[in-house]
Amino acid sequence: MNRPSITKYKTPVHISEYPVGPCYQAGHLVTENAGWRTEKPILDKEKCTGCFYCYLCCPEGVIFKLDGKIEIDYSFCKGCGICARVCKSEAIVMIREAKDGADGC
Ligand code: SF4
Ligand code: SF4
């Protein structure tokens, strides 16, 4: 699976440390997105038929197959909920993000 690389972000202190433009180089993230996501998808592996339709519809490309089972890379999932909407088996539900990691994901 191709994943974007993460660039360590250092908060600028002096004007000379600010980037010259508003954009980062393509394929780089300054942080993983779990810090601002408000909802996350939870997969019920018993209900999942492995049709892989959620993979086709995920705009972030963070759904993948591991040992024949669907997995979600939570480090880069944006929590948009599209996967839950398109799953005909209702195998994915969206839950509120736990900021303390209490949900174990
Ligand atoms: S769309 Fe639903 S049933 Fe199909 S692979 Fe994804 S979670 Fe499983
Ligand atoms: S919530 Fe959105 S970004 Fe996350 S796995 Fe589902 S479709 Fe992909």
Side-chain angles (χ1 to χ4, degrees):
M1 177 183 177
N2 286 334
R3 291 181 177 156
S5 56
I6 299 175
T7 303
K8 190 89 176 149
Y9 182 74
K10 179 178 172 293
T11 305
V13 177
H14 186 265
I15 187 75
S16 64
E17 297 171 347
Y18 278 85
V20 290
C23 300
Y24 250 86
Q25 190 179 351
H28 284 255
L29 298 173
V30 293
T31 184
E32 294 182 5
N33 49 273
W36 52 260
R37 189 176 53 210
T38 57
E39 288 192 319
K40 70 187 342 175
I42 298 295
L43 174 68
D44 183 338
K45 292 187 178 178
E46 296 298 316
K47 287 185 177 176
C48 176
T49 62
C51 70
F52 225 26
Y53 191 50
C54 53
Y55 157 80
L56 291 174
C57 297
C58 173
E60 301 301 323
V62 298
I63 297 177
F64 57 102
K65 229 174 204 175
L66 189 67
D67 297 331
K69 295 282 186 182
I70 294 294
E71 299 285 346
I72 299 169
D73 185 347
Y74 288 107
S75 297
F76 300 107
C77 164
K78 300 284 191 295
C80 65
I82 291 174
C83 54
R85 278 294 190 98
V86 300
C87 178
K88 291 182 172 49
S89 303
E90 299 182 344
I92 300 178
V93 295
M94 301 299 291
I95 65 163
R96 284 194 66 82
E97 185 80 36
K99 291 300 173 203
D100 57 1
D103 51 25
C105 298

XYZ file of all heavy atoms in Angstrom:
825
model
N 0.843 -1.189 0.000
C 0.000 0.000 0.000
C 0.882 1.243 0.000
O 1.814 1.352 0.794
C -0.878 -0.029 1.251
C -1.749 1.188 1.425
S -2.658 1.076 2.957
C -3.480 2.647 2.900
N 0.605 2.167 -0.890
C 1.336 3.428 -0.908
C 0.762 4.365 0.144
O -0.428 4.618 0.152
C 1.230 4.100 -2.275
C 2.081 3.392 -3.297
O 3.065 2.766 -2.942
N 1.703 3.490 -4.550
N 1.601 4.861 0.993
C 1.138 5.799 2.005
C 1.905 7.090 1.859
O 3.088 7.073 1.510
C 1.387 5.257 3.409
C 0.531 4.077 3.735
C 0.791 3.596 5.121
N -0.095 2.499 5.415
C 0.162 1.575 6.320
N 1.270 1.620 7.011
N -0.680 0.616 6.540
N 1.255 8.217 2.131
C 1.997 9.463 2.098
C 3.035 9.480 3.207
O 2.831 8.882 4.261
C 0.927 10.535 2.332
C -0.297 9.829 2.748
C -0.142 8.366 2.508
N 4.150 10.110 2.952
C 5.141 10.237 4.015
C 4.779 11.428 4.892
O 4.112 12.362 4.447
C 6.529 10.426 3.425
O 6.547 11.533 2.561
N 5.163 11.363 6.129
C 4.832 12.424 7.076
C 6.051 13.303 7.296
O 7.135 12.809 7.580
C 4.362 11.842 8.418
C 3.105 11.004 8.182
C 4.105 12.947 9.420
C 2.635 10.293 9.417
N 5.858 14.591 7.123
C 6.933 15.548 7.348
C 6.754 16.170 8.727
O 5.674 16.624 9.065
C 6.890 16.658 6.276
O 6.983 16.052 5.001
C 8.031 17.632 6.466
N 7.784 16.122 9.523
C 7.722 16.710 10.863
C 7.478 18.215 10.726
O 8.194 18.904 9.999
C 9.057 16.451 11.574
C 9.041 16.790 13.033
C 8.587 15.611 13.861
C 8.690 15.958 15.335
N 7.679 15.265 16.117
N 6.458 18.707 11.387
C 6.139 20.130 11.284
C 6.684 20.879 12.489
O 6.431 20.501 13.628
C 4.628 20.332 11.209
C 4.240 21.776 11.051
C 4.424 22.432 9.843
C 3.708 22.489 12.125
C 4.081 23.756 9.689
C 3.356 23.815 11.981
C 3.546 24.444 10.758
O 3.203 25.762 10.620
N 7.443 21.929 12.219
C 7.985 22.755 13.290
C 7.285 24.106 13.200
O 7.311 24.768 12.161
C 9.497 22.917 13.088
C 10.187 23.771 14.123
C 11.689 23.822 13.836
C 12.421 24.815 14.720
N 12.078 26.196 14.471
N 6.613 24.490 14.265
C 5.911 25.769 14.265
C 6.905 26.908 14.078
O 7.866 27.028 14.856
C 5.146 25.969 15.589
O 4.283 24.849 15.786
C 4.341 27.261 15.561
N 6.705 27.730 13.045
C 7.649 28.837 12.818
C 7.632 29.840 13.967
O 6.586 30.114 14.542
C 7.115 29.480 11.533
C 6.187 28.492 10.932
C 5.646 27.677 12.055
N 8.776 30.331 14.300
C 8.900 31.348 15.348
C 9.200 32.697 14.706
O 8.594 33.713 15.037
C 10.017 30.972 16.355
C 10.188 32.064 17.405
C 9.696 29.635 17.017
N 10.125 32.689 13.761
C 10.526 33.918 13.077
C 9.932 33.925 11.673
O 9.701 32.858 11.092
C 12.068 33.998 13.025
C 12.581 35.287 12.482
N 12.925 35.438 11.152
C 12.793 36.489 13.088
C 13.330 36.688 10.961
N 13.257 37.349 12.120
N 9.696 35.095 11.132
C 9.111 35.227 9.795
C 9.910 34.470 8.737
O 9.350 33.914 7.790
C 8.979 36.731 9.417
C 8.210 36.906 8.097
C 10.346 37.415 9.317
C 6.747 36.691 8.235
N 11.214 34.370 8.933
C 12.058 33.686 7.948
C 11.826 32.179 7.930
O 12.229 31.493 6.995
C 13.538 33.977 8.249
O 13.888 33.421 9.505
N 11.176 31.658 8.978
C 10.937 30.221 9.056
C 9.616 29.793 8.405
O 9.332 28.609 8.290
C 10.950 29.770 10.522
C 12.300 29.981 11.183
C 12.257 29.736 12.686
O 11.155 29.646 13.259
O 13.316 29.636 13.284
N 8.804 30.782 8.009
C 7.537 30.438 7.378
C 7.788 29.938 5.959
O 8.715 30.415 5.287
C 6.593 31.646 7.345
C 5.861 31.841 8.651
C 6.455 32.545 9.697
C 4.602 31.298 8.837
C 5.799 32.709 10.906
C 3.940 31.459 10.048
C 4.541 32.160 11.073
O 3.886 32.296 12.258
N 6.975 28.993 5.457
C 7.157 28.521 4.076
C 6.842 29.639 3.089
O 6.052 30.538 3.392
C 6.152 27.371 3.955
C 5.171 27.586 5.050
C 5.877 28.300 6.150
N 7.450 29.582 1.934
C 7.249 30.647 0.942
C 5.860 30.578 0.315
O 5.361 31.553 -0.223
C 8.328 30.595 -0.170
C 9.673 31.006 0.378
C 8.398 29.200 -0.790
N 5.207 29.435 0.351
C 3.868 29.313 -0.202
C 2.979 28.532 0.749
O 3.473 27.971 1.731
N 1.679 28.465 0.453
C 0.755 27.783 1.349
C 0.745 26.266 1.162
O 0.118 25.554 1.922
C -0.601 28.386 0.955
C -0.442 28.744 -0.491
C 0.999 29.130 -0.659
N 1.439 25.759 0.164
C 1.349 24.336 -0.163
C 2.612 23.571 0.237
O 3.710 24.121 0.209
C 1.138 24.151 -1.656
S -0.361 24.922 -2.252
N 2.402 22.303 0.578
C 3.523 21.401 0.800
C 3.772 20.607 -0.465
O 2.911 20.508 -1.333
C 3.210 20.455 1.961
C 4.030 20.738 3.186
C 3.623 21.684 4.117
C 5.228 20.068 3.415
C 4.370 21.942 5.243
C 5.983 20.326 4.528
C 5.557 21.267 5.443
O 6.310 21.509 6.546
N 4.932 20.035 -0.564
C 5.242 19.162 -1.680
C 4.212 18.027 -1.744
O 3.799 17.503 -0.714
C 6.645 18.597 -1.452
C 7.215 17.847 -2.630
C 8.615 17.341 -2.303
O 9.177 17.703 -1.274
N 9.154 16.528 -3.167
N 3.788 17.651 -2.940
C 2.772 16.611 -3.102
C 3.209 15.318 -2.423
O 4.381 14.951 -2.457
C 2.522 16.356 -4.582
N 2.248 14.649 -1.797
C 2.540 13.364 -1.179
C 3.061 13.468 0.235
O 3.394 12.467 0.856
N 3.118 14.673 0.779
C 3.610 14.839 2.143
C 2.503 15.362 3.043
O 1.691 16.176 2.638
C 4.784 15.826 2.179
C 6.054 15.222 1.676
N 7.087 14.844 2.498
C 6.433 14.906 0.422
C 8.052 14.325 1.770
N 7.688 14.357 0.505
N 2.474 14.857 4.246
C 1.542 15.346 5.251
C 2.359 15.924 6.398
O 3.430 15.419 6.711
C 0.672 14.212 5.791
C -0.233 13.510 4.784
C -0.892 12.318 5.454
C -1.279 14.465 4.275
N 1.862 16.966 7.004
C 2.586 17.507 8.152
C 2.176 16.797 9.436
O 2.830 16.908 10.454
C 2.390 19.032 8.303
C 3.053 19.758 7.146
C 0.923 19.392 8.389
N 1.106 16.066 9.397
C 0.697 15.308 10.568
C -0.287 14.230 10.141
O -0.873 14.307 9.065
C 0.026 16.220 11.623
O -0.279 15.442 12.777
C -1.251 16.840 11.091
N -0.470 13.211 10.955
C -1.541 12.265 10.704
C -2.841 12.959 11.056
O -2.862 13.889 11.853
C -1.348 11.009 11.560
C -0.095 10.242 11.155
C 0.091 8.964 11.948
O -0.790 8.625 12.744
O 1.125 8.316 11.760
N -3.950 12.485 10.468
C -5.182 13.245 10.633
C -6.046 12.802 11.801
O -7.105 13.343 12.010
C -6.008 13.222 9.359
C -6.164 11.839 8.808
O -5.328 11.388 8.057
N -7.206 11.139 9.198
N -5.630 11.829 12.568
C -6.473 11.371 13.672
C -6.705 12.470 14.707
O -7.626 12.401 15.498
C -5.863 10.154 14.346
N -5.884 13.498 14.681
C -6.022 14.570 15.659
C -7.227 15.451 15.444
O -7.723 16.054 16.388
N -7.718 15.549 14.231
C -8.863 16.432 13.987
C -10.107 15.694 13.494
O -11.167 16.290 13.353
C -8.496 17.546 13.007
C -7.874 17.085 11.715
C -6.552 17.080 11.395
C -8.553 16.569 10.562
N -6.358 16.588 10.131
C -7.572 16.277 9.593
C -9.897 16.332 10.256
C -7.896 15.745 8.348
C -10.208 15.800 9.013
C -9.207 15.526 8.083
N -9.999 14.391 13.234
C -11.158 13.633 12.752
C -12.224 13.589 13.850
O -11.908 13.409 15.026
C -10.675 12.222 12.404
C -11.686 11.369 11.688
C -11.059 10.025 11.307
N -10.478 9.391 12.453
C -9.415 8.577 12.419
N -8.834 8.295 11.280
N -8.942 8.048 13.514
N -13.485 13.770 13.478
C -14.559 13.770 14.478
C -15.294 12.432 14.535
O -15.905 12.112 15.539
C -15.586 14.885 14.183
O -16.103 14.702 12.868
C -14.925 16.256 14.295
N -15.265 11.682 13.427
C -15.902 10.370 13.408
C -14.974 9.384 12.735
O -14.140 9.763 11.908
C -17.237 10.413 12.637
C -18.337 11.125 13.363
C -19.680 10.886 12.693
O -19.734 10.901 11.456
O -20.667 10.678 13.420
N -15.127 8.126 13.070
C -14.288 7.100 12.450
C -15.137 5.882 12.076
O -16.144 5.589 12.743
C -13.154 6.699 13.392
C -13.665 5.935 14.567
C -12.694 5.596 15.671
C -11.276 5.655 15.398
N -10.456 5.416 16.591
N -14.750 5.171 11.021
C -15.501 3.978 10.629
C -15.062 2.767 11.443
O -13.870 2.574 11.696
C -15.121 3.813 9.152
C -13.762 4.411 9.043
C -13.656 5.492 10.084
N -16.031 1.978 11.854
C -15.747 0.725 12.554
C -16.310 -0.418 11.715
O -17.476 -0.393 11.318
C -16.404 0.714 13.962
C -15.825 1.833 14.819
C -16.200 -0.632 14.637
C -14.346 1.701 15.154
N -15.469 -1.376 11.444
C -15.839 -2.484 10.564
C -16.260 -3.708 11.375
O -15.574 -4.115 12.308
C -14.629 -2.846 9.685
C -14.755 -4.066 8.792
C -15.762 -3.823 7.685
C -13.398 -4.439 8.215
N -17.412 -4.269 11.001
C -17.865 -5.531 11.582
C -17.435 -6.650 10.629
O -18.032 -6.845 9.567
C -19.391 -5.508 11.745
C -19.918 -6.775 12.407
O -19.221 -7.814 12.370
O -21.037 -6.737 12.957
N -16.383 -7.357 10.990
C -15.821 -8.360 10.084
C -16.746 -9.555 9.869
O -16.601 -10.283 8.899
C -14.450 -8.815 10.606
C -13.423 -7.694 10.514
C -12.033 -8.127 10.863
C -11.084 -6.944 10.699
N -9.708 -7.204 11.056
N -17.692 -9.751 10.779
C -18.654 -10.846 10.598
C -19.638 -10.517 9.476
O -20.045 -11.390 8.712
C -19.423 -11.095 11.902
C -18.545 -11.559 13.055
C -17.866 -12.889 12.748
O -18.549 -13.783 12.221
O -16.662 -13.025 13.020
N -20.013 -9.240 9.372
C -20.973 -8.831 8.337
C -20.306 -8.613 6.988
O -20.947 -8.691 5.954
C -21.661 -7.522 8.754
C -22.676 -7.659 9.860
C -23.353 -6.318 10.079
C -24.440 -6.392 11.117
N -25.026 -5.056 11.372
N -19.027 -8.327 6.995
C -18.321 -7.988 5.755
C -18.232 -9.197 4.829
O -17.823 -10.277 5.238
C -16.922 -7.484 6.091
S -15.917 -7.142 4.629
N -18.626 -8.983 3.566
C -18.577 -10.056 2.574
C -17.287 -10.031 1.757
O -17.068 -10.897 0.913
C -19.763 -9.932 1.598
O -19.654 -8.681 0.906
C -21.097 -9.998 2.328
N -16.483 -9.000 1.970
C -15.233 -8.883 1.226
C -15.402 -8.431 -0.210
O -14.555 -8.697 -1.058
N -16.508 -7.724 -0.499
C -16.771 -7.291 -1.884
C -15.782 -6.212 -2.336
O -15.618 -5.985 -3.517
C -18.199 -6.781 -2.011
S -18.502 -5.217 -1.157
N -15.182 -5.525 -1.397
C -14.148 -4.527 -1.676
C -14.711 -3.234 -2.287
O -13.966 -2.429 -2.835
C -13.071 -5.109 -2.588
C -11.665 -4.783 -2.141
C -11.365 -4.512 -0.822
C -10.620 -4.756 -3.052
C -10.082 -4.221 -0.412
C -9.323 -4.462 -2.663
C -9.056 -4.183 -1.325
N -16.035 -3.066 -2.225
C -16.631 -1.862 -2.802
C -16.205 -0.615 -2.004
O -15.984 0.449 -2.578
C -18.150 -2.000 -2.833
C -18.833 -0.932 -3.635
C -18.415 -0.639 -4.930
C -19.905 -0.213 -3.113
C -19.029 0.349 -5.679
C -20.528 0.769 -3.862
C -20.084 1.049 -5.136
O -20.697 2.033 -5.857
N -16.079 -0.764 -0.699
C -15.657 0.378 0.125
C -14.257 0.837 -0.290
O -13.954 2.031 -0.300
C -15.694 0.019 1.602
S -14.771 -1.470 2.017
N -13.418 -0.102 -0.649
C -12.065 0.235 -1.126
C -12.147 1.099 -2.373
O -11.417 2.089 -2.512
C -11.297 -1.051 -1.409
C -10.149 -0.898 -2.375
C -8.927 -0.385 -1.961
C -10.296 -1.272 -3.715
C -7.874 -0.234 -2.858
C -9.257 -1.129 -4.598
C -8.049 -0.613 -4.177
O -7.032 -0.469 -5.055
N -13.057 0.726 -3.284
C -13.179 1.485 -4.531
C -13.688 2.896 -4.279
O -13.345 3.831 -5.004
C -14.141 0.769 -5.489
C -13.653 -0.548 -6.067
C -14.759 -1.208 -6.883
C -12.431 -0.326 -6.945
N -14.500 3.075 -3.254
C -15.145 4.365 -3.012
C -14.382 5.262 -2.047
O -14.637 6.471 -1.999
C -16.551 4.140 -2.470
S -17.633 3.289 -3.639
N -13.477 4.716 -1.279
C -12.761 5.543 -0.293
C -11.898 6.587 -1.024
O -10.995 6.232 -1.775
C -11.878 4.670 0.588
S -10.822 5.648 1.698
N -12.168 7.867 -0.803
C -11.407 8.908 -1.514
C -9.959 9.020 -1.047
O -9.144 9.635 -1.724
C -12.196 10.191 -1.210
C -12.896 9.915 0.071
C -13.188 8.454 0.076
N -9.638 8.419 0.101
C -8.275 8.541 0.632
C -7.414 7.315 0.351
O -6.218 7.323 0.636
C -8.332 8.794 2.145
C -9.101 10.033 2.536
C -8.504 11.281 1.898
O -7.269 11.362 1.780
O -9.261 12.175 1.516
N -8.008 6.259 -0.159
C -7.232 5.054 -0.448
C -6.649 4.408 0.795
O -5.527 3.888 0.766
N -7.397 4.444 1.892
C -6.856 3.911 3.148
C -7.489 2.583 3.550
O -7.233 2.079 4.634
C -7.013 4.939 4.298
C -6.221 6.187 3.979
C -8.474 5.275 4.557
N -8.333 2.042 2.666
C -8.901 0.718 2.923
C -8.098 -0.291 2.117
O -7.815 -0.074 0.944
C -10.391 0.677 2.534
C -11.176 1.667 3.409
C -10.951 -0.735 2.677
C -12.646 1.761 3.058
N -7.717 -1.370 2.759
C -6.913 -2.369 2.071
C -7.267 -3.762 2.592
O -7.998 -3.893 3.582
C -5.414 -2.095 2.251
C -4.962 -2.028 3.676
C -4.312 -3.102 4.254
C -5.182 -0.896 4.455
C -3.886 -3.060 5.574
C -4.766 -0.838 5.781
C -4.115 -1.922 6.333
N -6.773 -4.761 1.913
C -7.061 -6.138 2.293
C -5.828 -6.745 2.933
O -4.723 -6.624 2.399
C -7.446 -6.951 1.062
C -8.700 -7.762 1.219
C -9.077 -8.421 -0.087
C -10.571 -8.733 -0.100
N -11.018 -9.261 -1.375
N -6.014 -7.401 4.074
C -4.920 -8.071 4.755
C -5.400 -9.467 5.116
O -6.401 -9.620 5.818
C -4.528 -7.285 6.018
C -3.264 -7.734 6.738
C -2.032 -7.477 5.875
C -3.126 -7.016 8.071
N -4.730 -10.476 4.593
C -5.130 -11.863 4.816
C -6.592 -12.082 4.425
O -7.343 -12.757 5.140
C -4.894 -12.278 6.275
C -3.429 -12.222 6.649
O -2.584 -12.418 5.747
O -3.132 -11.969 7.831
N -7.009 -11.456 3.332
C -8.366 -11.645 2.839
C -9.423 -10.840 3.558
O -10.601 -10.923 3.240
N -9.023 -10.061 4.573
C -9.983 -9.258 5.337
C -9.722 -7.774 5.097
O -8.582 -7.354 4.902
C -9.847 -9.543 6.842
C -10.206 -10.959 7.235
C -11.713 -11.129 7.292
C -12.081 -12.509 7.822
N -13.526 -12.718 7.844
N -10.803 -7.001 5.162
C -10.702 -5.556 4.988
C -10.090 -4.909 6.230
O -10.433 -5.264 7.357
C -12.115 -4.966 4.742
C -12.672 -5.451 3.416
C -12.094 -3.441 4.801
C -11.938 -4.955 2.204
N -9.173 -3.995 6.017
C -8.580 -3.219 7.113
C -8.640 -1.738 6.748
O -8.669 -1.381 5.566
C -7.115 -3.620 7.344
C -6.910 -5.068 7.740
C -7.291 -5.355 9.185
O -7.458 -4.392 9.969
O -7.422 -6.547 9.510
N -8.636 -0.900 7.750
C -8.660 0.549 7.540
C -7.435 1.156 8.204
O -7.155 0.866 9.370
C -9.937 1.182 8.141
C -11.185 0.601 7.461
C -9.901 2.709 8.010
C -12.483 0.957 8.154
N -6.696 1.973 7.459
C -5.548 2.656 8.034
C -6.051 3.940 8.702
O -6.282 4.958 8.049
C -4.527 2.984 6.940
C -3.267 3.595 7.504
O -3.270 3.989 8.694
O -2.270 3.690 6.769
N -6.224 3.865 10.024
C -6.795 5.002 10.748
C -5.870 6.214 10.792
O -6.308 7.326 11.075
C -7.171 4.585 12.177
C -8.383 3.698 12.226
C -8.271 2.344 12.493
C -9.652 4.230 11.989
C -9.394 1.525 12.525
C -10.776 3.431 12.019
C -10.634 2.076 12.291
O -11.751 1.273 12.317
N -4.611 6.006 10.517
C -3.689 7.139 10.550
C -4.037 8.171 9.488
O -3.756 9.354 9.645
C -2.252 6.664 10.328
O -1.850 5.815 11.367
N -4.645 7.703 8.389
C -4.918 8.622 7.290
C -6.390 8.666 6.887
O -6.750 9.385 5.971
C -4.051 8.257 6.076
C -2.574 8.333 6.376
C -1.819 7.195 6.512
C -1.971 9.561 6.569
C -0.467 7.264 6.823
C -0.629 9.647 6.884
C 0.129 8.502 7.006
N -7.249 7.902 7.564
C -8.691 7.970 7.306
C -9.201 9.338 7.732
O -8.918 9.800 8.834
C -9.403 6.870 8.096
S -11.181 7.114 8.239
N -9.975 9.996 6.859
C -10.484 11.344 7.146
C -11.835 11.314 7.872
O -12.353 12.354 8.253
C -10.642 12.140 5.846
C -9.363 12.337 5.063
C -8.481 13.389 5.701
C -7.335 13.797 4.810
N -6.374 12.718 4.552
N -12.436 10.137 7.977
C -13.712 10.046 8.680
C -14.882 10.602 7.889
O -15.869 11.039 8.464
N -14.784 10.547 6.566
C -15.835 11.139 5.716
C -17.124 10.317 5.747
O -18.196 10.838 5.496
C -15.341 11.273 4.280
S -15.017 9.689 3.468
N -17.024 9.024 6.023
C -18.215 8.181 6.127
C -18.703 7.580 4.825
O -19.727 6.900 4.801
N -17.996 7.820 3.746
C -18.429 7.278 2.453
C -18.454 5.752 2.486
O -19.386 5.118 1.999
C -17.515 7.800 1.323
C -17.753 9.286 1.121
C -17.743 7.015 0.026
C -16.819 9.942 0.131
N -17.450 5.137 3.093
C -17.390 3.674 3.154
C -18.626 3.106 3.844
O -19.187 2.097 3.408
C -16.112 3.215 3.854
S -15.864 3.952 5.479
N -19.067 3.764 4.905
C -20.248 3.297 5.629
C -21.503 3.466 4.788
O -22.404 2.626 4.811
C -20.385 4.059 6.951
N -21.555 4.555 4.007
C -22.711 4.817 3.160
C -22.839 3.794 2.040
O -23.946 3.396 1.673
C -22.604 6.208 2.531
C -23.050 7.354 3.410
C -24.550 7.241 3.669
N -25.074 8.428 4.296
C -25.679 9.397 3.619
N -25.792 9.336 2.319
N -26.160 10.425 4.271
N -21.718 3.384 1.464
C -21.787 2.533 0.273
C -21.869 1.041 0.601
O -22.202 0.238 -0.278
C -20.591 2.777 -0.676
C -20.562 4.223 -1.140
C -19.274 2.363 -0.037
N -21.542 0.654 1.815
C -21.521 -0.763 2.160
C -22.945 -1.322 2.220
O -23.724 -0.960 3.091
C -20.825 -0.987 3.508
S -20.848 -2.728 3.983
N -23.264 -2.204 1.294
C -24.614 -2.768 1.227
C -24.871 -3.765 2.355
O -26.008 -4.084 2.666
C -24.828 -3.428 -0.141
C -24.891 -2.425 -1.286
C -25.159 -3.127 -2.603
C -25.426 -2.145 -3.732
N -24.455 -1.067 -3.844
N -23.805 -4.273 2.967
C -23.959 -5.229 4.059
C -24.055 -4.545 5.420
O -24.166 -5.221 6.444
C -22.771 -6.193 4.071
O -22.649 -6.844 2.832
N -24.003 -3.216 5.415
C -24.022 -2.432 6.660
C -22.962 -2.931 7.632
O -23.196 -3.066 8.837
C -25.416 -2.448 7.280
C -26.462 -1.830 6.356
C -27.845 -1.783 6.967
O -28.082 -2.486 7.976
O -28.683 -1.039 6.435
N -21.805 -3.238 7.071
C -20.713 -3.770 7.889
C -19.843 -2.665 8.483
O -18.963 -2.941 9.302
C -19.844 -4.703 7.051
N -20.081 -1.417 8.070
C -19.290 -0.299 8.598
C -20.228 0.716 9.223
O -21.216 1.124 8.612
C -18.462 0.389 7.490
C -17.496 -0.605 6.844
C -17.690 1.583 8.054
C -16.674 -0.037 5.699
N -19.951 1.096 10.453
C -20.703 2.169 11.112
C -19.711 3.246 11.528
O -18.543 2.966 11.804
C -21.504 1.668 12.338
C -22.589 0.708 11.911
C -20.583 1.029 13.366
N -20.199 4.472 11.589
C -19.362 5.590 12.016
C -19.626 5.858 13.495
O -20.777 5.889 13.931
C -19.685 6.850 11.199
C -19.492 6.699 9.698
S -17.796 6.290 9.222
C -16.941 7.824 9.613
N -18.550 6.022 14.242
C -18.693 6.364 15.664
C -17.926 7.657 15.928
O -17.024 8.030 15.175
C -18.181 5.249 16.598
C -16.669 5.065 16.423
C -18.928 3.950 16.353
C -16.026 4.300 17.566
N -18.258 8.305 17.012
C -17.543 9.532 17.379
C -16.117 9.189 17.765
O -15.861 8.164 18.396
C -18.243 10.257 18.536
C -19.490 10.993 18.094
C -19.969 11.961 19.153
N -19.029 13.054 19.361
C -18.964 14.136 18.590
N -19.776 14.259 17.575
N -18.091 15.075 18.843
N -15.211 10.046 17.386
C -13.795 9.844 17.698
C -13.552 10.031 19.193
O -14.035 10.993 19.785
C -12.967 10.864 16.924
C -11.485 10.703 17.056
C -10.950 9.600 16.158
O -11.465 9.441 15.045
O -10.029 8.905 16.585
N -12.833 9.082 19.787
C -12.453 9.224 21.189
C -11.079 9.871 21.232
O -10.120 9.332 20.699
C -12.431 7.869 21.873
N -10.998 11.048 21.811
C -9.742 11.795 21.792
C -8.664 11.169 22.679
O -7.496 11.425 22.529
C -9.979 13.243 22.240
C -10.773 14.036 21.231
C -10.058 14.105 19.902
C -10.901 14.730 18.830
N -10.491 14.344 17.478
N -9.081 10.316 23.605
C -8.101 9.715 24.501
C -7.672 8.323 24.035
O -6.967 7.626 24.744
C -8.664 9.624 25.917
C -9.976 8.839 25.959
O -10.415 8.359 24.896
O -10.540 8.721 27.048
N -8.127 7.923 22.809
C -7.767 6.609 22.300
C -8.492 5.481 23.004
O -8.123 4.323 22.871
N -9.573 5.813 23.734
C -10.284 4.798 24.508
C -10.978 3.775 23.626
O -11.329 2.696 24.086
C -11.306 5.464 25.418
N -11.185 4.119 22.346
C -11.856 3.163 21.474
C -10.896 2.123 20.929
O -11.274 1.212 20.221
C -12.582 3.864 20.330
C -11.675 4.829 19.599
O -10.450 4.629 19.634
O -12.193 5.785 19.013
N -9.628 2.267 21.231
C -8.652 1.251 20.861
C -8.196 1.286 19.429
O -7.475 0.388 18.984
N -8.624 2.286 18.640
C -8.215 2.364 17.231
C -7.161 3.442 17.018
O -7.119 4.397 17.718
C -9.399 2.674 16.342
S -10.666 1.403 16.417
S -18.311 -2.625 1.163
Fe -18.903 -3.571 3.112
S -19.078 -5.768 2.672
Fe -17.905 -4.855 0.988
S -15.748 -5.086 1.627
Fe -16.419 -3.068 2.340
S -17.115 -3.407 4.462
Fe -17.007 -5.425 3.449
S -14.323 7.226 6.456
Fe -13.766 8.027 4.405
S -11.527 8.149 4.457
Fe -12.112 6.813 6.154
S -12.016 4.730 5.346
Fe -14.135 5.460 5.084
S -14.247 6.322 3.021
Fe -12.050 6.136 3.591
